Every structure is written in structure tokens, then in C-alpha cells.
Amino acid sequence: KAGVTQTPRYLIKTRGQQVTLSCSPISGHRSVSWYQQTPGQGLQFLFEYFSETQRNKGNFPGRFSGRQFSNSRSEMNVSTLELGDSALYLCASSLDTWNTEAFFGQGTRLTVV
Amino acid sequence: DQQVKQNSPSLSVQEGRISILNCDYTNSMFDYFLWYKKYPAEGPTFLISISSIKDKNEDGRFTVFLNKSAKHLSLHIVPSQPGDSAVYFCAASRGTSYDKVIFGPGTSLSVIP
């Protein structure tokens, strides 16, 4: 079956702009979580959506938001971009909550200039 | 303050030898530990996990050891193969929700043919 699909793969934006990233989970998976990866910081949890509801949220400012649609596809939005938002954004999907079968997408590489 | 630490940003090992990747954690409430492998331009993929009730788990060439008293775990790859060259993330969890999974910064392993 198809894996987790993230679009776009690469994105360049300027400071102050906003950006929307998309994640399509594996068919049948209802949980989608988002992570930010920066050099030396590992994967930092942004938020998790389950059945269209934000279930958990990490320690990121309100400029980071997301939503999930009825087909489990999820979008992440970052407003008023800052240079420090440049990172690889990964989404992971799983059937329910976190377990060993969380599958990651390839990520979206966001560069803010 | 990082709760999950991987103090070696990189490691080089000869093909056929043993690779040992280390991970330390500070939160004694963590009860589940995972290792993820990440190739360039791909999302992380689950490798192996261990529950805090065990001190060892094996899966083929991969073995994870957990020392709860030292709050330390390690991943052994024997024998190492060039295809094992990747970034390895250690992750620790206090439960089954995404917001309770903390990733380390990763260790880049290079297996030299």
C-alpha cells in the first residue's frame, strides 16, 4: 500500500510569508503527527491530529497550526515565517496513537530566506 | 535541556565490524525506547524497540540493550554493512501518545567498505 506522502518536497519562502504543508497518511491510518527536524535538535514534536481533532500539541508558538480532514489528510500551516523556521518537516501516520508502527513521510524541506 | 541525548554526532565503522550507537536519557519516567534509521531524503523508519521491563531485544543484526539504572541504551549492529550508513535516532516514550515521545539529535553512522 502507498506510504505517507508529503507535499511539496522542497519549499523556499521569504520572512513574513506563510506556508502550508500537506501530509497524506497511509490508508486507514487515523493519526497524523508533525515533527520539525533541525540540525542537532533531533525530531521535535509539533502536534498530533486524530479523527480531525488536535489531540496533542508540542511547545511551538501559535504561528504553527494544523488541521486534519475527514479523509485523515493533514495540513500544517506556519504564518509569519522566521529564518529559524527553516527545517525539515516530517509527518508520521499510525492507526491510532503512537506505537512502533508509526510511518514517516519523506518530509518537506522548508528554507526561509 | 535535552531529555534524550546522543552524544556522538557521527561514527565510522569498518564493514563487518560491530557498530555501537549510544543513547542517554534523563527522565526516569520513560518506559519505552525506540531506534529509528533515516537515509538522506527519506523519512525515518522504525528499526527496533525495547520496553523498560526488558534489558535486551534482538532482531537479526540489530540488538538494543537497556540499562535502566544508568539511564542508558545502546544499539549494536553486527556485522555492519555499507547499507547501514544512515542517521540513527534514539527515542524515548512515557506512554503511547505522540507528545510523550522524545527524540534524540541523531548519530550519523558511516560503514566503510
Side-chain angles (χ1 to χ4, degrees):
Chain A
K1 56 184 173 183
V4 179
T5 304
Q6 288 188 248
T7 57
R9 291 291 310 281
Y10 302 93
L11 207 49
I12 299 175
K13 291 284 189 179
T14 56
R15 278 182 298 176
Q17 286 187 309
Q18 74 163 15
V19 66
T20 299
L21 312 182
S22 178
C23 173
S24 293
I26 291 171
S27 177
H29 285 193
R30 295 190 297 168
S31 174
V32 174
S33 69
W34 289 87
Y35 287 85
Q36 181 195 65
Q37 184 190 356
T38 51
Q41 292 295 318
L43 297 165
Q44 298 187 77
F45 174 74
L46 281 154
F47 29 66
E48 183 215 358
Y49 286 86
F50 182 83
S51 293
E52 302 178 64
T53 301
Q54 186 181 85
R55 190 157 62 174
N56 295 297
K57 191 176 190 304
N59 297 322
F60 277 80
R63 299 185 297 106
F64 292 80
S65 63
R67 58 178 176 170
Q68 187 179 33
F69 302 95
S70 58
N71 61 358
S72 291
R73 188 176 71 86
S74 177
E75 287 182 346
M76 189 190 93
N77 184 277
V78 188
S79 62
T80 320
L81 283 166
E82 300 177 359
L83 295 179
D85 296 333
S86 295
L88 179 68
Y89 290 88
L90 291 157
C91 87
S93 82
S94 65
L95 278 171
D96 186 353
T97 186
W98 176 269
N99 55 44
T100 58
E101 296 302 318
F103 296 88
F104 283 85
Q106 293 177 288
T108 294
R109 172 72 64 185
L110 171 65
T111 302
V112 182
V113 298
Chain B
D1 184 36
Q2 284 188 334
Q3 295 187 62
V4 178
K5 304 175 185 180
Q6 293 177 257
N7 293 322
S8 299
S10 62
L11 177 68
S12 288
V13 174
Q14 289 285 338
E15 180 179 5
R17 301 257 176 118
I18 181 172
S19 294
I20 300 176
L21 295 95
N22 294 302
C23 177
D24 297 289
Y25 60 96
T26 58
N27 191 337
S28 58
M29 298 297 289
F30 288 139
D31 55 10
Y32 200 70
F33 305 88
L34 309 95
W35 284 93
Y36 272 78
K37 179 170 72 173
K38 184 181 184 300
Y39 293 117
E42 293 184 15
T45 55
F46 168 74
L47 193 57
I48 192 169
S49 65
I50 188 167
S51 163
S52 60
I53 63 172
K54 294 185 175 182
D55 53 19
K56 177 182 174 182
N57 188 28
E58 272 182 278
D59 184 3
R61 296 185 297 113
F62 302 91
T63 302
V64 57
F65 295 92
L66 175 63
N67 183 333
K68 288 186 291 294
S69 61
K71 296 192 182 68
H72 176 83
L73 63 155
S74 59
L75 174 69
H76 292 211
I77 307 174
V78 185
S80 301
Q81 300 174 353
D84 297 329
S85 297
V87 176
Y88 290 79
F89 290 99
C90 168
S93 168
R94 283 186 294 126
T96 57
S97 294
Y98 276 103
D99 69 324
K100 294 179 174 59
V101 179
I102 309 296
F103 282 85
T107 295
S108 178
L109 173 67
S110 296
V111 180
I112 304 163

PDB file of all heavy atoms in Angstrom, chain A residues 31-63:
ATOM      1  N   SER A  31      -4.309   8.645  12.711  1.00  0.00           N
ATOM      2  CA  SER A  31      -3.481   9.566  13.490  1.00  0.00           C
ATOM      3  C   SER A  31      -2.356  10.113  12.635  1.00  0.00           C
ATOM      4  O   SER A  31      -1.638   9.363  11.980  1.00  0.00           O
ATOM      5  CB  SER A  31      -2.901   8.834  14.710  1.00  0.00           C
ATOM      6  OG  SER A  31      -1.993   9.663  15.397  1.00  0.00           O
ATOM      7  N   VAL A  32      -2.218  11.423  12.642  1.00  0.00           N
ATOM      8  CA  VAL A  32      -1.134  12.088  11.922  1.00  0.00           C
ATOM      9  C   VAL A  32      -0.436  13.040  12.880  1.00  0.00           C
ATOM     10  O   VAL A  32      -1.093  13.848  13.539  1.00  0.00           O
ATOM     11  CB  VAL A  32      -1.657  12.879  10.706  1.00  0.00           C
ATOM     12  CG1 VAL A  32      -0.519  13.670  10.063  1.00  0.00           C
ATOM     13  CG2 VAL A  32      -2.284  11.945   9.693  1.00  0.00           C
ATOM     14  N   SER A  33       0.863  12.922  12.959  1.00  0.00           N
ATOM     15  CA  SER A  33       1.613  13.843  13.802  1.00  0.00           C
ATOM     16  C   SER A  33       2.644  14.551  12.955  1.00  0.00           C
ATOM     17  O   SER A  33       3.060  14.056  11.919  1.00  0.00           O
ATOM     18  CB  SER A  33       2.296  13.115  14.958  1.00  0.00           C
ATOM     19  OG  SER A  33       3.326  12.297  14.464  1.00  0.00           O
ATOM     20  N   TRP A  34       3.055  15.702  13.407  1.00  0.00           N
ATOM     21  CA  TRP A  34       4.029  16.525  12.694  1.00  0.00           C
ATOM     22  C   TRP A  34       5.245  16.755  13.577  1.00  0.00           C
ATOM     23  O   TRP A  34       5.122  16.998  14.800  1.00  0.00           O
ATOM     24  CB  TRP A  34       3.421  17.875  12.318  1.00  0.00           C
ATOM     25  CG  TRP A  34       2.388  17.802  11.238  1.00  0.00           C
ATOM     26  CD1 TRP A  34       1.044  17.574  11.381  1.00  0.00           C
ATOM     27  CD2 TRP A  34       2.616  17.970   9.826  1.00  0.00           C
ATOM     28  NE1 TRP A  34       0.422  17.590  10.151  1.00  0.00           N
ATOM     29  CE2 TRP A  34       1.364  17.825   9.178  1.00  0.00           C
ATOM     30  CE3 TRP A  34       3.741  18.222   9.040  1.00  0.00           C
ATOM     31  CZ2 TRP A  34       1.219  17.937   7.799  1.00  0.00           C
ATOM     32  CZ3 TRP A  34       3.593  18.337   7.675  1.00  0.00           C
ATOM     33  CH2 TRP A  34       2.349  18.193   7.068  1.00  0.00           C
ATOM     34  N   TYR A  35       6.418  16.703  12.944  1.00  0.00           N
ATOM     35  CA  TYR A  35       7.677  16.926  13.640  1.00  0.00           C
ATOM     36  C   TYR A  35       8.519  17.926  12.853  1.00  0.00           C
ATOM     37  O   TYR A  35       8.442  17.990  11.624  1.00  0.00           O
ATOM     38  CB  TYR A  35       8.479  15.632  13.769  1.00  0.00           C
ATOM     39  CG  TYR A  35       7.934  14.654  14.777  1.00  0.00           C
ATOM     40  CD1 TYR A  35       6.937  13.759  14.427  1.00  0.00           C
ATOM     41  CD2 TYR A  35       8.433  14.625  16.070  1.00  0.00           C
ATOM     42  CE1 TYR A  35       6.444  12.852  15.351  1.00  0.00           C
ATOM     43  CE2 TYR A  35       7.946  13.718  17.011  1.00  0.00           C
ATOM     44  CZ  TYR A  35       6.956  12.845  16.634  1.00  0.00           C
ATOM     45  OH  TYR A  35       6.464  11.951  17.552  1.00  0.00           O
ATOM     46  N   GLN A  36       9.329  18.663  13.588  1.00  0.00           N
ATOM     47  CA  GLN A  36      10.312  19.546  12.974  1.00  0.00           C
ATOM     48  C   GLN A  36      11.707  18.979  13.250  1.00  0.00           C
ATOM     49  O   GLN A  36      12.031  18.638  14.388  1.00  0.00           O
ATOM     50  CB  GLN A  36      10.214  20.957  13.574  1.00  0.00           C
ATOM     51  CG  GLN A  36      11.197  21.949  12.958  1.00  0.00           C
ATOM     52  CD  GLN A  36      11.329  23.218  13.794  1.00  0.00           C
ATOM     53  OE1 GLN A  36      11.803  23.191  14.924  1.00  0.00           O
ATOM     54  NE2 GLN A  36      10.915  24.347  13.238  1.00  0.00           N
ATOM     55  N   GLN A  37      12.495  18.855  12.207  1.00  0.00           N
ATOM     56  CA  GLN A  37      13.860  18.380  12.387  1.00  0.00           C
ATOM     57  C   GLN A  37      14.840  19.462  11.979  1.00  0.00           C
ATOM     58  O   GLN A  37      14.813  19.937  10.847  1.00  0.00           O
ATOM     59  CB  GLN A  37      14.139  17.122  11.574  1.00  0.00           C
ATOM     60  CG  GLN A  37      15.533  16.550  11.836  1.00  0.00           C
ATOM     61  CD  GLN A  37      15.937  15.470  10.885  1.00  0.00           C
ATOM     62  OE1 GLN A  37      15.175  15.040  10.031  1.00  0.00           O
ATOM     63  NE2 GLN A  37      17.160  14.996  11.007  1.00  0.00           N
ATOM     64  N   THR A  38      15.676  19.856  12.907  1.00  0.00           N
ATOM     65  CA  THR A  38      16.747  20.806  12.626  1.00  0.00           C
ATOM     66  C   THR A  38      18.068  20.168  13.053  1.00  0.00           C
ATOM     67  O   THR A  38      18.081  19.287  13.906  1.00  0.00           O
ATOM     68  CB  THR A  38      16.543  22.128  13.394  1.00  0.00           C
ATOM     69  OG1 THR A  38      16.327  21.832  14.780  1.00  0.00           O
ATOM     70  CG2 THR A  38      15.346  22.880  12.850  1.00  0.00           C
ATOM     71  N   PRO A  39      19.183  20.621  12.470  1.00  0.00           N
ATOM     72  CA  PRO A  39      20.471  20.013  12.820  1.00  0.00           C
ATOM     73  C   PRO A  39      20.735  20.077  14.307  1.00  0.00           C
ATOM     74  O   PRO A  39      20.611  21.120  14.933  1.00  0.00           O
ATOM     75  CB  PRO A  39      21.479  20.873  12.031  1.00  0.00           C
ATOM     76  CG  PRO A  39      20.691  21.409  10.888  1.00  0.00           C
ATOM     77  CD  PRO A  39      19.306  21.636  11.414  1.00  0.00           C
ATOM     78  N   GLY A  40      21.087  18.955  14.887  1.00  0.00           N
ATOM     79  CA  GLY A  40      21.436  18.911  16.300  1.00  0.00           C
ATOM     80  C   GLY A  40      20.274  18.894  17.260  1.00  0.00           C
ATOM     81  O   GLY A  40      20.467  18.759  18.461  1.00  0.00           O
ATOM     82  N   GLN A  41      19.050  18.996  16.765  1.00  0.00           N
ATOM     83  CA  GLN A  41      17.885  19.043  17.657  1.00  0.00           C
ATOM     84  C   GLN A  41      17.002  17.823  17.568  1.00  0.00           C
ATOM     85  O   GLN A  41      16.003  17.713  18.268  1.00  0.00           O
ATOM     86  CB  GLN A  41      17.026  20.286  17.328  1.00  0.00           C
ATOM     87  CG  GLN A  41      17.690  21.594  17.677  1.00  0.00           C
ATOM     88  CD  GLN A  41      17.904  21.738  19.160  1.00  0.00           C
ATOM     89  OE1 GLN A  41      17.041  21.407  19.968  1.00  0.00           O
ATOM     90  NE2 GLN A  41      19.078  22.195  19.545  1.00  0.00           N
ATOM     91  N   GLY A  42      17.350  16.906  16.709  1.00  0.00           N
ATOM     92  CA  GLY A  42      16.505  15.724  16.598  1.00  0.00           C
ATOM     93  C   GLY A  42      15.146  16.083  16.036  1.00  0.00           C
ATOM     94  O   GLY A  42      14.979  17.071  15.337  1.00  0.00           O
ATOM     95  N   LEU A  43      14.185  15.282  16.377  1.00  0.00           N
ATOM     96  CA  LEU A  43      12.818  15.490  15.910  1.00  0.00           C
ATOM     97  C   LEU A  43      12.011  16.085  17.053  1.00  0.00           C
ATOM     98  O   LEU A  43      11.863  15.477  18.095  1.00  0.00           O
ATOM     99  CB  LEU A  43      12.204  14.169  15.470  1.00  0.00           C
ATOM    100  CG  LEU A  43      12.893  13.495  14.278  1.00  0.00           C
ATOM    101  CD1 LEU A  43      12.444  12.050  14.160  1.00  0.00           C
ATOM    102  CD2 LEU A  43      12.568  14.247  13.009  1.00  0.00           C
ATOM    103  N   GLN A  44      11.490  17.244  16.823  1.00  0.00           N
ATOM    104  CA  GLN A  44      10.693  17.902  17.855  1.00  0.00           C
ATOM    105  C   GLN A  44       9.218  17.869  17.474  1.00  0.00           C
ATOM    106  O   GLN A  44       8.840  18.282  16.382  1.00  0.00           O
ATOM    107  CB  GLN A  44      11.175  19.336  18.046  1.00  0.00           C
ATOM    108  CG  GLN A  44      12.622  19.393  18.525  1.00  0.00           C
ATOM    109  CD  GLN A  44      13.040  20.796  18.879  1.00  0.00           C
ATOM    110  OE1 GLN A  44      12.688  21.322  19.927  1.00  0.00           O
ATOM    111  NE2 GLN A  44      13.787  21.423  18.007  1.00  0.00           N
ATOM    112  N   PHE A  45       8.426  17.399  18.413  1.00  0.00           N
ATOM    113  CA  PHE A  45       7.004  17.193  18.183  1.00  0.00           C
ATOM    114  C   PHE A  45       6.268  18.519  18.064  1.00  0.00           C
ATOM    115  O   PHE A  45       6.413  19.414  18.912  1.00  0.00           O
ATOM    116  CB  PHE A  45       6.440  16.375  19.340  1.00  0.00           C
ATOM    117  CG  PHE A  45       4.958  16.202  19.330  1.00  0.00           C
ATOM    118  CD1 PHE A  45       4.348  15.337  18.441  1.00  0.00           C
ATOM    119  CD2 PHE A  45       4.162  16.904  20.227  1.00  0.00           C
ATOM    120  CE1 PHE A  45       2.969  15.171  18.444  1.00  0.00           C
ATOM    121  CE2 PHE A  45       2.791  16.735  20.237  1.00  0.00           C
ATOM    122  CZ  PHE A  45       2.195  15.871  19.341  1.00  0.00           C
ATOM    123  N   LEU A  46       5.473  18.637  17.024  1.00  0.00           N
ATOM    124  CA  LEU A  46       4.664  19.841  16.818  1.00  0.00           C
ATOM    125  C   LEU A  46       3.245  19.618  17.327  1.00  0.00           C
ATOM    126  O   LEU A  46       2.781  20.290  18.230  1.00  0.00           O
ATOM    127  CB  LEU A  46       4.645  20.208  15.336  1.00  0.00           C
ATOM    128  CG  LEU A  46       5.891  20.918  14.823  1.00  0.00           C
ATOM    129  CD1 LEU A  46       6.076  20.665  13.336  1.00  0.00           C
ATOM    130  CD2 LEU A  46       5.788  22.415  15.079  1.00  0.00           C
ATOM    131  N   PHE A  47       2.535  18.713  16.709  1.00  0.00           N
ATOM    132  CA  PHE A  47       1.178  18.383  17.138  1.00  0.00           C
ATOM    133  C   PHE A  47       0.733  17.077  16.490  1.00  0.00           C
ATOM    134  O   PHE A  47       1.332  16.593  15.542  1.00  0.00           O
ATOM    135  CB  PHE A  47       0.148  19.483  16.815  1.00  0.00           C
ATOM    136  CG  PHE A  47       0.454  20.323  15.612  1.00  0.00           C
ATOM    137  CD1 PHE A  47       0.469  19.784  14.339  1.00  0.00           C
ATOM    138  CD2 PHE A  47       0.732  21.680  15.752  1.00  0.00           C
ATOM    139  CE1 PHE A  47       0.759  20.558  13.237  1.00  0.00           C
ATOM    140  CE2 PHE A  47       1.015  22.472  14.644  1.00  0.00           C
ATOM    141  CZ  PHE A  47       1.039  21.912  13.394  1.00  0.00           C
ATOM    142  N   GLU A  48      -0.353  16.546  17.046  1.00  0.00           N
ATOM    143  CA  GLU A  48      -0.940  15.320  16.536  1.00  0.00           C
ATOM    144  C   GLU A  48      -2.423  15.513  16.313  1.00  0.00           C
ATOM    145  O   GLU A  48      -3.106  16.145  17.133  1.00  0.00           O
ATOM    146  CB  GLU A  48      -0.742  14.157  17.507  1.00  0.00           C
ATOM    147  CG  GLU A  48      -1.294  12.833  16.975  1.00  0.00           C
ATOM    148  CD  GLU A  48      -1.881  11.941  18.039  1.00  0.00           C
ATOM    149  OE1 GLU A  48      -1.843  12.309  19.231  1.00  0.00           O
ATOM    150  OE2 GLU A  48      -2.399  10.862  17.683  1.00  0.00           O
ATOM    151  N   TYR A  49      -2.899  14.975  15.214  1.00  0.00           N
ATOM    152  CA  TYR A  49      -4.319  15.005  14.911  1.00  0.00           C
ATOM    153  C   TYR A  49      -4.855  13.594  14.811  1.00  0.00           C
ATOM    154  O   TYR A  49      -4.194  12.689  14.307  1.00  0.00           O
ATOM    155  CB  TYR A  49      -4.584  15.764  13.609  1.00  0.00           C
ATOM    156  CG  TYR A  49      -4.433  17.254  13.786  1.00  0.00           C
ATOM    157  CD1 TYR A  49      -3.188  17.855  13.658  1.00  0.00           C
ATOM    158  CD2 TYR A  49      -5.518  18.053  14.132  1.00  0.00           C
ATOM    159  CE1 TYR A  49      -3.042  19.211  13.868  1.00  0.00           C
ATOM    160  CE2 TYR A  49      -5.377  19.414  14.340  1.00  0.00           C
ATOM    161  CZ  TYR A  49      -4.121  19.981  14.204  1.00  0.00           C
ATOM    162  OH  TYR A  49      -3.966  21.325  14.421  1.00  0.00           O
ATOM    163  N   PHE A  50      -6.038  13.442  15.323  1.00  0.00           N
ATOM    164  CA  PHE A  50      -6.724  12.141  15.284  1.00  0.00           C
ATOM    165  C   PHE A  50      -8.192  12.413  15.037  1.00  0.00           C
ATOM    166  O   PHE A  50      -8.823  13.155  15.789  1.00  0.00           O
ATOM    167  CB  PHE A  50      -6.517  11.395  16.599  1.00  0.00           C
ATOM    168  CG  PHE A  50      -7.146  10.048  16.645  1.00  0.00           C
ATOM    169  CD1 PHE A  50      -6.518   8.948  16.101  1.00  0.00           C
ATOM    170  CD2 PHE A  50      -8.392   9.866  17.236  1.00  0.00           C
ATOM    171  CE1 PHE A  50      -7.099   7.691  16.131  1.00  0.00           C
ATOM    172  CE2 PHE A  50      -8.988   8.622  17.272  1.00  0.00           C
ATOM    173  CZ  PHE A  50      -8.339   7.538  16.729  1.00  0.00           C
ATOM    174  N   SER A  51      -8.699  11.792  13.991  1.00  0.00           N
ATOM    175  CA  SER A  51     -10.118  11.983  13.640  1.00  0.00           C
ATOM    176  C   SER A  51     -10.513  13.456  13.640  1.00  0.00           C
ATOM    177  O   SER A  51     -11.498  13.859  14.265  1.00  0.00           O
ATOM    178  CB  SER A  51     -11.021  11.196  14.609  1.00  0.00           C
ATOM    179  OG  SER A  51     -10.825   9.812  14.433  1.00  0.00           O
ATOM    180  N   GLU A  52      -9.725  14.247  12.942  1.00  0.00           N
ATOM    181  CA  GLU A  52      -9.989  15.677  12.697  1.00  0.00           C
ATOM    182  C   GLU A  52      -9.828  16.561  13.933  1.00  0.00           C
ATOM    183  O   GLU A  52     -10.142  17.755  13.877  1.00  0.00           O
ATOM    184  CB  GLU A  52     -11.387  15.878  12.096  1.00  0.00           C
ATOM    185  CG  GLU A  52     -11.594  15.117  10.786  1.00  0.00           C
ATOM    186  CD  GLU A  52     -13.007  15.298  10.229  1.00  0.00           C
ATOM    187  OE1 GLU A  52     -13.345  16.447   9.888  1.00  0.00           O
ATOM    188  OE2 GLU A  52     -13.750  14.297  10.155  1.00  0.00           O
ATOM    189  N   THR A  53      -9.343  16.007  15.016  1.00  0.00           N
ATOM    190  CA  THR A  53      -9.184  16.776  16.255  1.00  0.00           C
ATOM    191  C   THR A  53      -7.716  16.811  16.666  1.00  0.00           C
ATOM    192  O   THR A  53      -7.025  15.791  16.590  1.00  0.00           O
ATOM    193  CB  THR A  53     -10.012  16.141  17.392  1.00  0.00           C
ATOM    194  OG1 THR A  53     -11.384  16.106  17.001  1.00  0.00           O
ATOM    195  CG2 THR A  53      -9.865  16.947  18.676  1.00  0.00           C
ATOM    196  N   GLN A  54      -7.269  17.989  17.082  1.00  0.00           N
ATOM    197  CA  GLN A  54      -5.915  18.064  17.598  1.00  0.00           C
ATOM    198  C   GLN A  54      -5.893  17.411  18.975  1.00  0.00           C
ATOM    199  O   GLN A  54      -6.531  17.887  19.916  1.00  0.00           O
ATOM    200  CB  GLN A  54      -5.444  19.518  17.701  1.00  0.00           C
ATOM    201  CG  GLN A  54      -3.976  19.627  18.101  1.00  0.00           C
ATOM    202  CD  GLN A  54      -3.509  21.072  18.241  1.00  0.00           C
ATOM    203  OE1 GLN A  54      -3.675  21.689  19.288  1.00  0.00           O
ATOM    204  NE2 GLN A  54      -2.941  21.608  17.168  1.00  0.00           N
ATOM    205  N   ARG A  55      -5.127  16.368  19.086  1.00  0.00           N
ATOM    206  CA  ARG A  55      -5.143  15.588  20.322  1.00  0.00           C
ATOM    207  C   ARG A  55      -3.983  15.976  21.244  1.00  0.00           C
ATOM    208  O   ARG A  55      -4.113  15.920  22.456  1.00  0.00           O
ATOM    209  CB  ARG A  55      -5.099  14.106  19.995  1.00  0.00           C
ATOM    210  CG  ARG A  55      -5.359  13.205  21.173  1.00  0.00           C
ATOM    211  CD  ARG A  55      -5.858  11.838  20.741  1.00  0.00           C
ATOM    212  NE  ARG A  55      -4.894  11.116  19.920  1.00  0.00           N
ATOM    213  CZ  ARG A  55      -5.091   9.847  19.537  1.00  0.00           C
ATOM    214  NH1 ARG A  55      -6.158   9.203  19.914  1.00  0.00           N
ATOM    215  NH2 ARG A  55      -4.203   9.240  18.781  1.00  0.00           N
ATOM    216  N   ASN A  56      -2.846  16.307  20.654  1.00  0.00           N
ATOM    217  CA  ASN A  56      -1.679  16.679  21.439  1.00  0.00           C
ATOM    218  C   ASN A  56      -0.950  17.821  20.754  1.00  0.00           C
ATOM    219  O   ASN A  56      -0.992  17.947  19.531  1.00  0.00           O
ATOM    220  CB  ASN A  56      -0.708  15.498  21.590  1.00  0.00           C
ATOM    221  CG  ASN A  56      -1.313  14.368  22.388  1.00  0.00           C
ATOM    222  OD1 ASN A  56      -1.638  14.526  23.555  1.00  0.00           O
ATOM    223  ND2 ASN A  56      -1.478  13.222  21.753  1.00  0.00           N
ATOM    224  N   LYS A  57      -0.267  18.626  21.539  1.00  0.00           N
ATOM    225  CA  LYS A  57       0.453  19.760  20.978  1.00  0.00           C
ATOM    226  C   LYS A  57       1.794  19.900  21.682  1.00  0.00           C
ATOM    227  O   LYS A  57       1.880  19.773  22.898  1.00  0.00           O
ATOM    228  CB  LYS A  57      -0.376  21.036  21.150  1.00  0.00           C
ATOM    229  CG  LYS A  57       0.157  22.217  20.368  1.00  0.00           C
ATOM    230  CD  LYS A  57      -0.781  23.423  20.513  1.00  0.00           C
ATOM    231  CE  LYS A  57      -0.408  24.537  19.559  1.00  0.00           C
ATOM    232  NZ  LYS A  57       0.974  24.999  19.693  1.00  0.00           N
ATOM    233  N   GLY A  58       2.825  20.179  20.902  1.00  0.00           N
ATOM    234  CA  GLY A  58       4.149  20.392  21.468  1.00  0.00           C
ATOM    235  C   GLY A  58       4.359  21.846  21.829  1.00  0.00           C
ATOM    236  O   GLY A  58       3.441  22.662  21.798  1.00  0.00           O
ATOM    237  N   ASN A  59       5.591  22.175  22.155  1.00  0.00           N
ATOM    238  CA  ASN A  59       5.918  23.527  22.623  1.00  0.00           C
ATOM    239  C   ASN A  59       6.371  24.438  21.491  1.00  0.00           C
ATOM    240  O   ASN A  59       7.508  24.892  21.459  1.00  0.00           O
ATOM    241  CB  ASN A  59       7.000  23.454  23.696  1.00  0.00           C
ATOM    242  CG  ASN A  59       6.525  22.711  24.916  1.00  0.00           C
ATOM    243  OD1 ASN A  59       5.372  22.826  25.322  1.00  0.00           O
ATOM    244  ND2 ASN A  59       7.402  21.917  25.502  1.00  0.00           N
ATOM    245  N   PHE A  60       5.497  24.694  20.583  1.00  0.00           N
ATOM    246  CA  PHE A  60       5.791  25.599  19.476  1.00  0.00           C
ATOM    247  C   PHE A  60       4.833  26.786  19.554  1.00  0.00           C
ATOM    248  O   PHE A  60       3.718  26.674  20.060  1.00  0.00           O
ATOM    249  CB  PHE A  60       5.639  24.866  18.135  1.00  0.00           C
ATOM    250  CG  PHE A  60       6.852  24.084  17.740  1.00  0.00           C
ATOM    251  CD1 PHE A  60       7.090  22.838  18.292  1.00  0.00           C
ATOM    252  CD2 PHE A  60       7.764  24.594  16.830  1.00  0.00           C
ATOM    253  CE1 PHE A  60       8.223  22.110  17.954  1.00  0.00           C
ATOM    254  CE2 PHE A  60       8.891  23.875  16.472  1.00  0.00           C
ATOM    255  CZ  PHE A  60       9.116  22.631  17.030  1.00  0.00           C
ATOM    256  N   PRO A  61       5.282  27.938  19.033  1.00  0.00           N
ATOM    257  CA  PRO A  61       4.418  29.129  19.095  1.00  0.00           C
ATOM    258  C   PRO A  61       3.152  28.964  18.262  1.00  0.00           C
ATOM    259  O   PRO A  61       3.058  28.086  17.411  1.00  0.00           O
ATOM    260  CB  PRO A  61       5.309  30.247  18.537  1.00  0.00           C
ATOM    261  CG  PRO A  61       6.389  29.560  17.782  1.00  0.00           C
ATOM    262  CD  PRO A  61       6.596  28.237  18.447  1.00  0.00           C
ATOM    263  N   GLY A  62       2.213  29.849  18.503  1.00  0.00           N
ATOM    264  CA  GLY A  62       0.925  29.776  17.834  1.00  0.00           C
ATOM    265  C   GLY A  62       0.998  29.981  16.325  1.00  0.00           C
ATOM    266  O   GLY A  62       0.016  29.709  15.622  1.00  0.00           O
ATOM    267  N   ARG A  63       2.169  30.424  15.828  1.00  0.00           N
ATOM    268  CA  ARG A  63       2.313  30.590  14.377  1.00  0.00           C
ATOM    269  C   ARG A  63       2.228  29.238  13.666  1.00  0.00           C
ATOM    270  O   ARG A  63       1.972  29.170  12.464  1.00  0.00           O
ATOM    271  CB  ARG A  63       3.684  31.219  14.047  1.00  0.00           C
ATOM    272  CG  ARG A  63       3.919  32.582  14.634  1.00  0.00           C
ATOM    273  CD  ARG A  63       5.245  33.176  14.168  1.00  0.00           C
ATOM    274  NE  ARG A  63       6.408  32.405  14.602  1.00  0.00           N
ATOM    275  CZ  ARG A  63       7.135  31.639  13.797  1.00  0.00           C
ATOM    276  NH1 ARG A  63       6.826  31.509  12.521  1.00  0.00           N
ATOM    277  NH2 ARG A  63       8.190  31.001  14.265  1.00  0.00           N
TER     278      ARG A  63
END
